[in-house]
Amino acid sequence: METFEIRQEDGETGGRYVTVVDGHEAEMTYSKAGTSRIIIDHTGVPKALGGRGVGVALVQRAVEDARAAGLKIIPLCPFAKAQIEKHKEWQDVLA
């Protein structure tokens, strides 16, 4: 799987993970639910980047960051939910 430079843009009520690959921006957005949970609500990957693992990389980064910060994830986004269900090793961060 390719590696992507993913940055987090974090605000008071939410934020996003974003990467730019070959001039195309992909993102995954979240909102904060209190101090111990985030809600992943959208993952957007342009068709030009489809099949390269960009979406999976965004979810993985959120899982790793949540684990490191002691946060739980509520995956409302169907893509993020499916990826967390598929990767048993990520399920410790589910709310």
Side-chain angles (χ1 to χ4, degrees), residues 44-85:
V45 177
K47 288 184 187 201
L49 300 179
R52 292 177 62 179
V54 176
V56 175
L58 291 167
V59 176
Q60 181 176 7
R61 171 69 187 274
V63 166
E64 291 169 353
D65 286 357
R67 191 178 287 141
L71 300 174
K72 295 293 184 180
I73 293 175
I74 302 168
L76 293 185
C77 165
F79 179 81
K81 182 176 172 130
Q83 289 304 313
I84 292 172
E85 287 175 357

Side-chain angles (χ1 to χ4, degrees), residues 3 9 13 16 18 20 29 40 58 65 71 85 87 90:
T3 57
E9 297 174 353
T13 60
R16 71 181 188 146
V18 63
V20 177
T29 60
I40 296 175
L58 291 167
D65 286 357
L71 300 174
E85 287 175 357
H87 293 87
W90 296 353

